């Protein structure tokens, strides 16, 4: 037996947890992030000091951002490792909710350790306690229940043992994983207990690769052999399973084209003959035309979000059917699909073997190859930046970065118009290069996530691409990058407003209301900006080295210099909002954003007419 406080026992336990997959062992909790207050400073805080040699620590500036950093780390590490995040009670705990939701929506593991009010209630209420007259056992931490895959409040020291083991089980389960919350009352954190030594033994959690059921595999192979226009939709599960080579083998053996969701982009290199690019509302014309005529859609590790299905309007063929290879039966049954419940790599290997000798018709391969070539010409046109002394467009910024990066670089984004441009245009060169968080599409994700990615892969150049709106949401973790000298590269694209949602507002009759940055003059009138705000100066004030780029030539030089920098560096560029040169191709598929059914303003009336035209094409696949 070893006598320790609850917090000391937890930190010591976490330092001895490992995952194992394919014979390789990984530390499960690579580090702990923390911001301290009265709810955790004397408990978890003291324990992290006590076991500083066992548990690395990162100091955060915003609780939500700490979760984003942990999620970025977990995604880069293939869900085999993650970070823990500790906060005080009150606002520190509630600030975790958005990050927890992002982790759970994206099926990425993160361990949350918020402080909680006293279990023994010596004073009631204590500072920052939420009082619920009808429920004495409720605290603000209960906000984390619906966004956590596992939640427990550790009300006694001995309750930590089953709670901690259950938490590790969920974090390492490829079906169940997401945010895991252990709420820790501040008095329980500091209470001593005699712990069994077995609790601190090294424990290895096997990340399973379940194989497909033989009957489902036979049925799946028959469905593929019968199809004339099959299409694979690669989702994030391909990356989580490290199944990229297995997918490549299936595509090369059968000639079936591969489209990708935001989470699945990079499953094949952009220049692989079978890769046809992104699918759905932000996808390529090549992938979406194939989707409209496909008679079999083979979903691999995808959850079929509305962007992927174009809100139920994309897969038009009357006899189209779905075959879903997914480790989670919950996702496997979507779109009324036939299921192949298995790990993505195991399932793809088995399907490739079952389809030995089968290939799509040569004419089909020629068709999508020709379409892909035409799309690449449109990408070239959008990227083209031959006039060195003009302000670049957003697409040209991506094109210039595309010229510079190698397989090693990681590009991170989450919100605004950039995810759409990246999904359509970016030429992913390696499985971990394209990192767009679009399950929750959380503004403010990019900078902290880039820190997490850089900690997980310190040898790789990591780029956080942020618009001005996103930057204003969550820039504070720049200070952490500077403090720990994590050499992230932050590219701020300034277009002076919420341009993405402004465009959407205009298309649905909202007339861009509330989306532009407007300056109130001394006489009380509003003008259209730009506001007297200098985001580059802000980034510099937080400790970053800042390179300002006014022209295409400046941008090329700045991005090249930033890539080689060994300290956190920001490239600031104002983009051409008129997009008078060559912009990205428009949306290739619809997305359902309901429009006012009745209105007096002409813009809304016209938008409703367009909406009614599209919505009639929606279909439930049964």
């Amino acid at each position: 037996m070893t006598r320790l406080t609850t917090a000391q026992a937890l930190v010591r336990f976490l330092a001895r947890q490992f995952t194992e997959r394919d014979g390789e062992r990984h530390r499960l909790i690579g580090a702990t992030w923390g911001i301290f207050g009265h709810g955790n400073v004397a408990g978890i805080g003291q324990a992290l000091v006590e076991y500083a040699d066992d548990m690395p620590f990162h100091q955060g500036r915003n609780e939500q951002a700490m979760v984003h950093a942990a999620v970025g780390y977990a995604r880069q590490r293939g869900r085999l490792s993650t970070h823990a995040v500790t906060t005080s009670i009150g606002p520190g705990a509630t600030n975790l909710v958005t990050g927890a939701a992002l982790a759970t929506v994206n099926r990425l593991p993160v361990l949350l350790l918020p402080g909680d009010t006293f279990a023994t209630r010596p004073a009631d209420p204590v500072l920052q306690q939420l009082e619920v007259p009808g429920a004495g056992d409720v605290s603000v931490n209960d906000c984390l229940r619906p966004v956590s895959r596992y939640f427990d409040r550790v009300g006694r020291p001995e309750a930590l043992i089953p709670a901690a083991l259950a938490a590790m089980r969920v974090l390492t389960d490829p079906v169940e994983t997401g945010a895991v919350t252990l709420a820790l009352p501040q008095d329980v954190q500091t209470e001593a207990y005699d712990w069994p030594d077995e609790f601190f033994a090294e424990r290895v959690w096997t990340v399973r690769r379940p194989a497909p059921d033989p009957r489902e595999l036979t049925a799946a192979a028959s469905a593929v052999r019968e199809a004339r226009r099959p299409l694979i939709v690669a989702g994030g599960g391909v990356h989580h399973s490290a199944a990229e080579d297995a997918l490549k083998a299936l595509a090369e053996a059968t000639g079936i084209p591969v489209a990708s969701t935001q989470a699945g982009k990079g499953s094949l290199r952009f220049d692989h003959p079978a890769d046809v690019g992104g699918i759905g509302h932000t996808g390529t014309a090549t992938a979406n035309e194939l989707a409209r005529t496909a008679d079999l859609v083979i979903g691999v590790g995808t959850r079929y979000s509305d962007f992927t299905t174009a809100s139920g309007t994309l897969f038009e063929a009357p006899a189209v059917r779905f075959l879903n290879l997914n480790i989670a039966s919950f996702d496997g049954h979507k779109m009324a699909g036939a299921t192949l419940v298995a790990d993505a790599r195991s399932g793809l290997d088995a399907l490739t073997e079952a389809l030995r000798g089968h290939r799509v018709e040569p004419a089909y391969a020629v068709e999508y190859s020709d379409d892909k070539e035409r799309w690449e010409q449109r990408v070239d046109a959008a990227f083209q930046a031959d006039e060195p002394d003009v302000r670049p467009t957003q697409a040209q910024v991506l094109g210039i970065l595309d010229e510079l990066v190698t397989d090693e670089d990681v590009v991170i984004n989450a919100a605004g118009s950039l995810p759409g441009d990246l999904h359509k245009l970016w030429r992913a060169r390696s499985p971990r290069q394209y990192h767009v968080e679009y399950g929750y599409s959380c503004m403010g994700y990019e900078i902290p996530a880039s820190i997490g990615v850089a900690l997980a892969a310190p040898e790789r150049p990591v780029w956080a691409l942020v618009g001005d709106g996103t930057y204003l949401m969550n820039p504070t973790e720049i200070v952490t990058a500077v403090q720990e000298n994590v050499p992230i590269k932050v590219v701020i694209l300034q277009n002076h407003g919420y341009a993405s949602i402004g465009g959407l507002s205009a298309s649905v009759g909202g007339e861009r209301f509330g989306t532009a940055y407007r300056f109130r003059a001394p006489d009380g009138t509003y003008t259209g900006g730009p506001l007297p705000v200098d985001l580059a100066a802000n980034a510099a004030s937080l400790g970053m080295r800042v390179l300002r780029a006014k022209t295409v030539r400046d941008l090329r030089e700045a991005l090249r210099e930033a890539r080689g920098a060994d300290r956190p560096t920001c490239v600031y560029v104002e983009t051409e909002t008129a997009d008078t040169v060559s912009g990205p191709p428009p949306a290739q598929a619809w997305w359902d954003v309901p429009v006012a059914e009745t209105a007096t303003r002409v813009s809304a009336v016209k938008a409703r007419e367009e909406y009614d035209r599209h919505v009639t094409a929606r279909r439930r696949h049964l």
Side-chain angles (χ1 to χ4, degrees):
M1 305 290 282
T2 303
R3 190 163 183 81
L4 301 171
T5 69
T6 304
Q8 291 165 356
L10 177 58
V11 172
R12 188 174 174 188
F13 168 84
L14 293 177
R16 288 161 171 77
Q17 306 303 302
F18 298 87
T19 60
E20 184 276 330
R21 187 176 70 182
D22 303 331
E24 294 185 6
R25 196 166 85 155
H26 308 264
R27 178 167 171 154
L28 176 54
I29 307 298
T32 296
W33 289 82
I35 296 176
F36 294 108
H38 68 93
N40 65 340
V41 66
I44 291 291
Q46 191 283 327
L48 289 168
V49 173
E50 190 87 15
Y51 293 104
D53 292 339
D54 295 331
M55 179 59 70
F57 176 74
H58 301 299
Q59 183 180 12
R61 268 73 191 179
N62 173 282
E63 291 86 359
Q64 180 189 137
M66 293 193 298
V67 185
H68 293 337
V71 167
Y73 179 91
R75 177 167 168 173
Q76 185 67 28
R77 295 298 301 270
R79 304 196 301 185
L80 299 172
S81 298
T82 188
H83 284 163
V85 177
T86 180
T87 72
S88 186
I89 68 174
T94 53
N95 281 351
L96 295 174
V97 173
T98 297
L102 181 147
T104 296
V105 166
N106 286 283
R107 321 287 172 84
L108 292 166
V110 63
L111 177 62
L112 308 181
L113 304 174
D116 211 327
T117 53
F118 286 84
T120 54
R121 304 184 190 178
D124 195 20
V126 298
L127 178 64
Q128 298 178 321
Q129 179 177 339
L130 172 71
E131 293 184 89
V132 181
D137 63 343
V138 171
S139 79
V140 295
N141 283 333
D142 289 276
C143 294
L144 288 159
R145 288 184 183 272
V147 293
S148 298
R149 294 292 290 182
Y150 179 81
F151 179 99
D152 201 351
R153 181 176 282 110
V154 183
R156 290 290 305 145
E158 55 267 38
L160 177 65
I161 295 176
L165 292 171
M168 299 305 103
R169 176 189 63 79
V170 174
L171 287 173
T172 58
D173 188 319
V175 176
E176 295 296 322
T177 197
V180 168
T181 300
L182 296 180
L184 303 171
Q186 56 181 307
D187 51 346
V188 176
Q189 291 181 44
T190 61
E191 187 174 348
Y193 181 74
D194 292 323
W195 302 89
D197 291 333
E198 293 84 356
F199 185 56
F200 306 117
E202 286 192 0
R203 192 178 301 266
V204 179
W205 301 82
T206 300
V207 179
R208 298 180 295 277
R209 287 195 182 279
D213 178 88
R215 290 168 298 179
E216 286 193 341
L217 178 61
T218 298
S222 296
V224 175
R225 288 182 181 278
E226 293 170 5
R228 293 294 174 263
R229 299 184 64 84
L231 172 67
I232 294 172
V233 176
V238 175
H239 293 311
H240 298 330
S241 177
E244 297 89 358
D245 287 344
L247 177 64
K248 179 182 177 183
L250 176 62
E252 292 179 350
T254 63
I256 300 174
V258 177
S260 56
T261 68
Q262 284 279 16
K265 191 174 172 75
S267 295
L268 293 183
R269 271 186 62 101
F270 78 95
D271 53 1
H272 190 281
D275 181 73
V276 293
I279 192 169
H281 179 64
T282 54
T284 70
T286 307
N288 287 342
E289 285 306 311
L290 290 171
R292 292 183 177 101
T293 59
D295 56 1
L296 180 68
V297 178
I298 307 166
V300 182
T302 178
R303 61 192 187 94
Y304 288 112
S305 76
D306 61 341
F307 260 60
T308 299
T309 67
S311 299
T313 64
L314 185 57
F315 304 106
E316 296 179 354
V320 64
R321 291 293 179 263
F322 294 82
L323 168 63
N324 298 326
L325 166 54
N326 205 296
I327 197 168
S329 63
F330 172 77
D331 292 311
H333 284 280
K334 290 177 178 176
M335 311 294 282
T339 58
L340 190 60
V341 178
D343 165 76
R345 197 174 84 179
S346 298
L348 287 167
D349 285 343
L351 189 57
T352 301
E353 179 63 26
L355 291 170
R356 181 176 296 194
H358 174 74
R359 285 192 65 82
V360 298
E361 293 294 330
Y364 184 47
V366 170
E367 175 191 333
Y368 69 71
S369 297
D370 290 348
D371 283 348
K372 175 180 177 176
E373 184 176 347
R374 284 189 287 271
W375 180 261
E376 287 301 318
Q377 292 170 358
R378 298 180 71 178
V379 175
D380 288 339
F383 280 176
Q384 186 174 359
D386 293 337
E387 299 181 51
D389 297 319
V390 301
R391 179 186 294 178
T393 67
Q394 180 166 285
Q396 289 171 335
V397 173
L398 299 182
I400 294 168
L401 186 60
D402 175 80
E403 297 171 4
L404 180 67
V405 301
T406 70
D407 293 15
E408 297 303 309
D409 295 67
V410 182
V411 175
I412 300 173
N413 184 244
S417 57
L418 275 166
D421 288 355
L422 286 162
H423 199 206
K424 285 196 289 277
L425 304 176
W426 188 256
R427 290 163 167 161
R429 292 162 170 78
S430 61
R432 296 290 173 194
Q433 183 182 82
Y434 186 87
H435 184 133
V436 173
E437 187 284 298
Y438 216 57
Y440 209 50
S441 188
C442 186
M443 295 178 73
Y445 172 81
E446 294 89 344
I447 293 173
S450 71
I451 297 173
V453 170
L455 292 172
E459 73 286 356
R460 303 185 72 160
V462 180
W463 301 86
L465 308 184
V466 299
D468 49 308
T470 288
Y471 179 85
L472 288 168
M473 286 279 182
N474 205 1
T476 53
E477 242 49 40
I478 285 175
V479 178
T480 299
V482 170
Q483 174 177 307
E484 301 204 12
N485 197 28
V486 182
I488 60 172
K489 299 91 172 60
V490 176
V491 182
I492 302 176
L493 293 87
Q494 170 67 277
N495 58 22
H496 301 288
Y498 299 114
S500 173
I501 204 68
L504 177 62
S505 173
S507 71
V508 297
E511 302 180 24
R512 297 182 182 268
F513 177 75
T515 63
Y517 296 164
R518 304 179 67 200
F519 178 68
R520 183 171 182 173
D523 63 1
T525 60
Y526 285 91
T527 59
L531 294 178
V533 175
D534 190 339
L535 300 185
N538 178 264
S541 75
L542 297 177
M544 287 201 102
R545 181 186 180 204
V546 176
L547 306 172
R548 294 177 183 260
K550 295 182 178 180
T551 66
V552 166
R553 179 186 287 108
D554 294 343
L555 182 63
R556 279 200 171 92
E557 294 174 357
L559 291 176
R560 185 175 296 107
E561 188 171 345
R563 189 176 187 275
D566 59 0
R567 56 174 286 194
T569 302
C570 172
V571 175
Y572 174 87
V573 57
E574 293 194 52
T575 56
E576 177 57 64
T577 55
D579 218 9
T580 54
V581 189
S582 56
Q588 304 297 305
W590 186 60
W591 181 44
D592 187 354
V593 177
V595 177
E597 193 168 1
T598 61
T600 58
R601 299 183 70 84
V602 173
S603 60
V605 172
K606 289 184 176 179
R608 182 67 194 197
E609 291 173 354
E610 184 71 6
Y611 178 82
D612 288 340
R613 183 177 69 82
H614 282 289
V615 80
T616 57
R618 180 159 43 217
R619 170 184 179 187
R620 291 193 183 277
H621 296 277
L622 300 171

